[in-house]
Amino acid sequence: MVLLRLLILNFMLTISAFAQKDYKLWLQYNKVTNTTIASQYKNNLQGIVVFGNSETSKKYSQELEIGFLNMLGNKPDIKSEIKGENNLIVGSESSLNSELKTMLQSDFEKINKEGFIIKSIFLKNKKQLIITGKNDVAVLYGVFHFLRLMQTNQSIQNLNIYDSPKTNIRILNHWDNLDRTVERGYAGFSLWNWQKLPDFIDQRYIDYARANASIGINGTVLTNVNANALILTPQYLEKVEALANVFRPYGIKVYLTARFSAPIEIGNLRTADPKDAEVINWWKNKAAEIYKRIPDFGGFLVKANSEGQPGPQNYGRNHVDGANMLADAVAPFGGIIMWRAFVYSEHDANDRAKQAYAEFQPYDGKFKENVIVQVKNGAIDFQPREPFHPLFGAMPKTPLMMEFQITQEYLGFSTHLVFLPKLFQEVLEADTFQKGKGSTVAKVVDGSLYNNKITGIAGVSNIGNDLNWTGHPFAQANWYGFGRLAWNPYLDSEIIADEWLRSTFSTDDNFVKPVKNMMLESREAVVNYMTPLGLHHIMDTGHHYGPGPWVSDLSRPEWNPVYYHKADKNGIGFDRSKSGTNATSQYVPEVEKIFDEVKTCPEKDLLWFHHVSWNYKLKNGQTLWNGLALKYQEGVNQVREMQNVWKKSEKFIDQERFTEVEMLLEIQYKEAKWWRDACLLYFQQFSGQELPAGVEKPTQTLEYFKSLKFPFAPGNG
Amino acid sequence: MVLLRLLILNFMLTISAFAQKDYKLWLQYNKVTNTTIASQYKNNLQGIVVFGNSETSKKYSQELEIGFLNMLGNKPDIKSEIKGENNLIVGSESSLNSELKTMLQSDFEKINKEGFIIKSIFLKNKKQLIITGKNDVAVLYGVFHFLRLMQTNQSIQNLNIYDSPKTNIRILNHWDNLDRTVERGYAGFSLWNWQKLPDFIDQRYIDYARANASIGINGTVLTNVNANALILTPQYLEKVEALANVFRPYGIKVYLTARFSAPIEIGNLRTADPKDAEVINWWKNKAAEIYKRIPDFGGFLVKANSEGQPGPQNYGRNHVDGANMLADAVAPFGGIIMWRAFVYSEHDANDRAKQAYAEFQPYDGKFKENVIVQVKNGAIDFQPREPFHPLFGAMPKTPLMMEFQITQEYLGFSTHLVFLPKLFQEVLEADTFQKGKGSTVAKVVDGSLYNNKITGIAGVSNIGNDLNWTGHPFAQANWYGFGRLAWNPYLDSEIIADEWLRSTFSTDDNFVKPVKNMMLESREAVVNYMTPLGLHHIMDTGHHYGPGPWVSDLSRPEWNPVYYHKADKNGIGFDRSKSGTNATSQYVPEVEKIFDEVKTCPEKDLLWFHHVSWNYKLKNGQTLWNGLALKYQEGVNQVREMQNVWKKSEKFIDQERFTEVEMLLEIQYKEAKWWRDACLLYFQQFSGQELPAGVEKPTQTLEYFKSLKFPFAPGNG
């Protein structure tokens, strides 16, 4: 007989019996446990006065109450007027009383339409705190900023904050299909339950809107760029309308993808030619129909003549013709067209990396005012690392918006911890030299380089119906960081990681510091164990899960990894210099010169631009072969170190998320080794050289790795 | 300027900002607010002593702690030995001390292997409470039963409970595909994240197991009966093994569906002939491979030669040959084969309702000992109402297990509130008369009629990755009720509804009574507004969403609604009497006689068995046409009444679930009217008669209803 003494289980267990924390994202509103900070907050928040009575003001009132109740443990003292001191006054400019309006007149000049002010003021000699902006959505942003200050335990005693978003369109692109599969989605399936819409409003829609508003996202494209015309039929527009109604109070506009052939498919026309009068009319009527339902509808996102999607070229027209026709349709209602520059053709023998620039750059200045061209961060396709896209800065008369990919199509799906703001920041800080030194991509995107009227940043969503929204708890940080960078493309990713960790997990420095470092290093780790030194697009086919450098049998040459790495007896890499495809010439001379020469080309981009001998000497003195192998090993080592760091975090956070991340890091470690082994064994066939000291022996044979098949890998579009 | 006075929001709001309650199912463990009950509980639970140290005993220890902490608000006093009085003693027979063993010797004779005892005892003159059983899983069942007593606020002062399950196999059938779509699934997508398995164990797997164990479910078939052979490859078996490891401590065995052609598809054999030596050997080896990984693997569920699935008939063999070959493969390891009797052939011109009986009844006594034949509750396919399947009781030498459908393929998906235990109970109580009066289906299923060694009840799962598991909050009651009836097929559905409501929502009688009545009436409501008076299979095609009595163009005649209702100028209904297909002859004479005569046939089954004139006089004096129309109207009225009842429940429960159900009832009401209008307009073409007084005017034209298309309706297999 064995007597088991029951473990004294702490309160955490009662929670961990049912998964919940993950769902709350970065809006945990954990109780403020630091007593000094908590009493400062209580002292400075003795009452709340909310001006305004819009739907949006109801939302920020609720959010303040939820936040205060959870963080401070008590209900705020609600006041119907400003009485006493240390009240929090909240409301938009027009709703303020005349005294406040006058006092803040010059302050309002410091913010734009969506910006907010959080300021400690003296009113009749009494100290108060005000959150305001030019409209209620701006105030909502201010409220979320204020709650973030509290979540990160910052002082609120003497605040003087003016913060305005630097871009107009801060938008998620959902590649969600009407059957709820999500192309390149790794967090379950689509949030949008079309079958139950419009009558059933899932609480998730509301929480999705809250989360987005909290980081300043103001638009969402509900449907896949590989579009289905049915979304434009009344049956579905009714459902879209219901979502728009949910999102509106949170300042989030709804957009749809427009399938270019919709006039044929659902309009019973015989053509979709953008110059055809009936087609033009069909789109005008369709726009009117949509705006009747959704007066603040944002507009259309279009993928045309790319990867099999229909477009104006099917009718001998060009992208300008297509985009402008749609732009005319939505212009009367204030809508915009986001026209994607992600095009490449199987009939174009040109280097795929050159095709978007070659096709779009000549159109500069030809698009209508309400068209913005959406350009991926690099010239291929969301690789772990790409040089910035040569179109940035190259179309001074055309607004260009950035397309980042938040979902980790090429970065380990939802099992690898990769902090993407680091990648985003690298791209935004890249200098195009288009107007001399300092012409960064960020300045193109925020419109400051060429004074664009409309500006924007899009992120391909990593959100699904997984309980934790994003599959990996740390993938929430990529959604968060995307939003923060869309608001301010100059924000440092370290600050983002810091904010996110404190809001999401714990404000304990002993937790935050090492885990933040782990996050910041994670992006370089994935580059190292997947595609070091400028390698790219060597993942397995279709699903893009795991390595597949050997793949060479796909119908289109530029879909094959061998097209990209070009490994042979002589060396490895894609010669895009003058001696090769001359893709470097698409950059301005200052940049071109750097990329074009093997010696000046940054080693992180080396094999992107050059075919280099296996025995080429790297800056660290290693041969290319040895250096490549050591980079792969370094990636694996970095993941092992991430595991060590994480193990030490156990005592700071809840058991459930700790264990989740622990399991995921174990998968990441296993897969990092898989990448290392498969790629090195494959490339070794060409280099003919041994692995250098320090690189672990492969765990399996090349034949084994080649034999792996994943028929049901998620996200395969 | 408008001053908005903030609403004083109660604590509920802080919860409802993020959806959570739904996730907890019937294991809410709400705080016991009745102070008399609470203090009785505290007095009687002054300490806990747990005997045993198995994985399962850890689970029930945890569950008790979670339950007590949440319901009573304090940590139980954990004792390493029995000291003082009013302790809860928990442990399996073999782990008890000799004094307890001796004392309880005769008690253990009152339970079977999976049964439990919950008993107030005196030990050394001190009052104690013991939960025990013959093994730890049985104790776990006892623990959950005890927690249910507390959740439903019942007295625990003088307990003397002996409870044993009446069937051996209480099993969920998941029709989950490897791409995570779920055939006939309306609650999102599959719980099984194959891509992240085996290394990532989702908390949901654990909570799924807890929920199942709490109602006595002891098996789960992970994969769709329309099977994919890949599940039997090492790549997937490794993942299945991981799930089996999670479920094992909760007493849940894993089963898989076996695709009959697997030896060809993954075994590289040229045949799957069950008499072929290589095939026999392949399955033996496959079974050995599986049992090496999962020693307690349950066995296979097989759908063969039905709806396009491969089977023994492809090789000129029969169902017995196929089932017995597989049975031999798993027999050495204690596995079983569940062989489905759901067969019908496009080459058989016979009434579809007769085919399963015609094919299987002659095989009685020919199956191996470890084969059980799985029979759907009715002869067609999970309709809102079907007479019991004639196979029940008709194969005295063969164990038959019941197949119920918990997912609402034909009963309104996950938007209609339909309490299915009412349907299940009706079937289980049906008298087959096979051994004279009282030979109920329940007695066939629990093996008591023919003394079967293996017995079982299967339920086609309604579980998906929706936050609330089942799509509709009340669909959780169908999962719950299925489990309770599988444990005890004689349980009254009113008791089930009562338990479930108190555990899930509130113990307040003012809430429970009306809502329970609403649940109990809900099944008759759906019959009335979809298929009254014995109508069946008149839903729209493929997805089975909404009415489609007009559908007549499908490739197989028995897939067409017109095949089933046979409406014409003369009347409506399928003549299965002697003058028709003579399906009635498949029942024993006592039953046959009742069904065969229009006058004795229960009106609820009238049009199932008879083609009846539009002017036939029903028992209430109405003509058939008028009676039919009034039944449709009654269904609509019942849903309207459900809405009224629900509205009154608002003050008793959380806002989130209240609103969810409110929205869903609105959809149900809309769709009830859709069913009524579409069906009556269609049938009116044949009856040529006006709608009687009391029936509301149709909301649309028949052409409108016929034009509705649902290309992305969920669950379409």
Side-chain angles (χ1 to χ4, degrees), chain A residues 35-93:
Chain A
T35 49
T36 318
I37 302 275
S39 66
Q40 189 214 91
Y41 288 172
K42 283 180 190 167
N43 292 339
N44 283 275
L45 299 168
Q46 294 182 10
I48 301 185
V49 187
V50 173
F51 292 91
N53 66 348
S54 67
E55 285 302 306
T56 299
S57 68
K58 283 179 203 153
K59 299 301 182 189
Y60 57 66
S61 301
Q62 278 179 13
E63 200 70 34
L64 284 170
E65 294 224 34
I66 295 167
F68 291 174
L69 262 171
N70 282 284
M71 288 191 277
L72 306 178
N74 62 349
K75 284 188 196 170
D77 192 9
I78 311 294
K79 298 179 180 176
S80 57
E81 51 186 295
I82 307 169
K83 271 188 182 165
E85 59 179 0
N86 287 317
N87 293 295
L88 179 64
I89 302 163
V90 190
S92 66
E93 184 177 11

Side-chain angles (χ1 to χ4, degrees), chain B residues 210-381:
Chain B
R210 287 176 61 227
N212 279 322
S214 78
I215 47 176
I217 288 173
N218 67 358
T220 179
V221 185
L222 300 176
T223 46
N224 193 352
V225 287
N226 293 323
N228 188 315
L230 283 179
I231 194 69
L232 303 176
T233 60
Q235 183 179 18
Y236 278 92
L237 288 176
E238 188 186 13
K239 301 168 193 282
V240 173
E241 181 185 349
L243 288 175
N245 291 340
V246 172
F247 299 157
R248 187 169 298 112
Y250 294 96
I252 295 164
K253 280 188 186 180
V254 158
Y255 299 70
L256 293 173
T257 47
R259 185 158 163 94
F260 205 78
S261 50
I264 301 171
E265 290 153 6
I266 59 167
N268 290 318
L269 301 188
R270 273 191 270 178
T271 179
D273 182 348
K275 299 276 192 187
D276 181 276
E278 278 192 294
V279 171
I280 293 168
N281 202 44
W282 188 88
W283 281 110
K284 278 192 196 297
N285 289 336
K286 183 53 71 182
E289 180 191 347
I290 295 173
Y291 278 94
K292 197 173 168 194
R293 289 182 179 274
I294 310 165
D296 57 351
F297 178 71
F300 295 121
L301 170 65
V302 187
K303 173 177 181 178
N305 293 121
S306 175
E307 298 184 319
Q309 291 298 302
Q313 293 173 349
N314 301 34
Y315 307 96
R317 315 297 181 183
N318 65 28
H319 287 287
V320 174
D321 299 327
N324 287 351
M325 181 272 292
L326 288 174
D328 283 342
V330 297
F333 312 99
I336 62 153
I337 301 300
M338 297 171 288
W339 194 271
R340 290 174 96 230
F342 177 66
V343 295
Y344 60 99
S345 167
E346 60 196 299
H347 308 296
D348 190 341
N350 224 332
D351 176 3
R352 172 172 162 189
K354 291 175 67 181
Q355 295 183 30
Y357 179 98
E359 182 139 10
F360 274 81
Q361 200 281 331
Y363 296 141
D364 187 30
K366 297 191 176 157
F367 290 101
K368 298 263 177 174
E369 266 204 334
N370 59 333
V371 174
I372 185 163
V373 175
Q374 184 168 312
V375 183
K376 291 190 180 182
N377 60 279
I380 297 294
D381 193 12

